[in-house]
Amino acid sequence: MFDLLVNAEGGLTTAGYVVCVIAGIALFVLAILFAGRNSEKKKMGTRQLVFCAMAIALAYVTSYLKLFSLPWGGSVTLCSMLFIVLIGNWYGVQTGIFAGLAYGIMQFLQEPYVLSFFQVCCDYILAFAALGVAGLFAKSSHGLLKGYIAAVIARGAFHALGGYLYWMDYMPENFPQSLKAVYPIVYNYSFLLAEAVITVIIISIPAVVKGLGQVKKSALA
């Protein structure tokens, strides 16, 4: 079964792409179903569909807008994680996780490389699904800020796990040898936290806070 989906070079076969696309669509539909269930109206509506679709689309587009790259690898994007976090903040943890799963598959399809099924889970499926934990803080004071920070930490944990299991041999030569034991942690959190700092500054601006509050009201109307 694995050979049917993955070619000898570690990329996806045609069947692999088809399966990933179908899985992404199914997860997106599940996200919408949970969004409807968690909304005040307790049913799925066009509004939830539109807001989830727009957020995932914006996350995907901004993931291509790289502000800068770091010396050891990894790029800082234009707040791409924030849009998945917003879904969790609007509609709860379950919806955020399913939206993150769908988004993770989209990220995987950008440039797929497969070492094993669990490596794909760590690097894409679980890592991006973890952004949905932002929903845990949706009803607390400064919930978006707290949720975003928690989501970044959770995503980094899965990336680091995959790094220890599969990517230690790919450590760049310019990486300090004294930090070799923590390479996956330093590598992954370096670009994640850099993006997080930029995003936190942006969403802490009063005008942005007010704007996001209005968007949330519209998403839940």
Side-chain angles (χ1 to χ4, degrees), residues 27-167:
L27 290 168
F28 175 70
V29 171
L30 285 172
I32 301 304
L33 289 172
F34 277 108
R37 194 183 75 171
N38 293 331
S39 69
E40 293 180 0
K41 296 181 179 180
K42 301 298 181 182
K43 64 179 181 178
M44 181 181 69
T46 303
R47 185 178 297 270
Q48 286 80 17
L49 172 64
V50 170
F51 273 87
C52 283
M54 287 179 60
I56 293 175
L58 285 170
Y60 188 72
V61 170
T62 53
S63 71
Y64 282 99
L65 302 178
K66 296 178 171 56
L67 301 179
F68 57 88
S69 298
L70 297 180
W72 301 323
S75 299
V76 175
T77 67
L78 186 61
C79 305
S80 62
M81 291 184 288
L82 173 63
F83 298 101
I84 304 301
V85 167
L86 286 173
I87 295 176
N89 184 260
W90 296 336
Y91 301 121
V93 177
Q94 290 176 313
T95 303
I97 287 175
F98 278 114
L101 285 168
Y103 177 60
I105 291 175
M106 293 171 67
Q107 287 290 306
F108 175 60
L109 290 174
Q110 283 189 38
E111 193 174 348
Y113 187 75
V114 182
L115 295 176
S116 75
F117 175 74
F118 190 65
Q119 169 260 321
V120 173
C121 287
C122 287
D123 289 344
Y124 299 98
I125 309 302
L126 297 176
F128 288 101
L131 296 175
V133 304
L136 292 171
F137 303 89
K139 296 182 179 180
S140 66
S141 177
H142 304 292
L144 178 59
L145 181 62
K146 293 176 182 176
Y148 181 82
I149 294 172
V152 171
I153 293 172
R155 176 186 166 183
F158 284 110
H159 283 314
L161 175 61
Y164 276 113
L165 294 175
Y166 300 102
W167 300 108

Side-chain angles (χ1 to χ4, degrees), residues 172-221:
E173 295 181 358
N174 63 343
F175 190 83
Q177 292 300 305
S178 59
L179 297 176
K180 181 178 180 179
V182 292
Y183 164 64
I185 297 173
V186 174
Y187 165 73
N188 287 292
Y189 278 109
S190 60
F191 66 87
L192 290 176
L193 293 179
E195 181 172 328
V197 169
I198 294 172
T199 304
V200 166
I201 291 173
I202 292 173
I203 64 176
S204 297
I205 298 172
V208 176
V209 173
K210 182 178 179 180
L212 289 174
Q214 292 299 319
V215 172
K216 184 173 183 177
K217 288 181 180 180
S218 297
L220 298 176

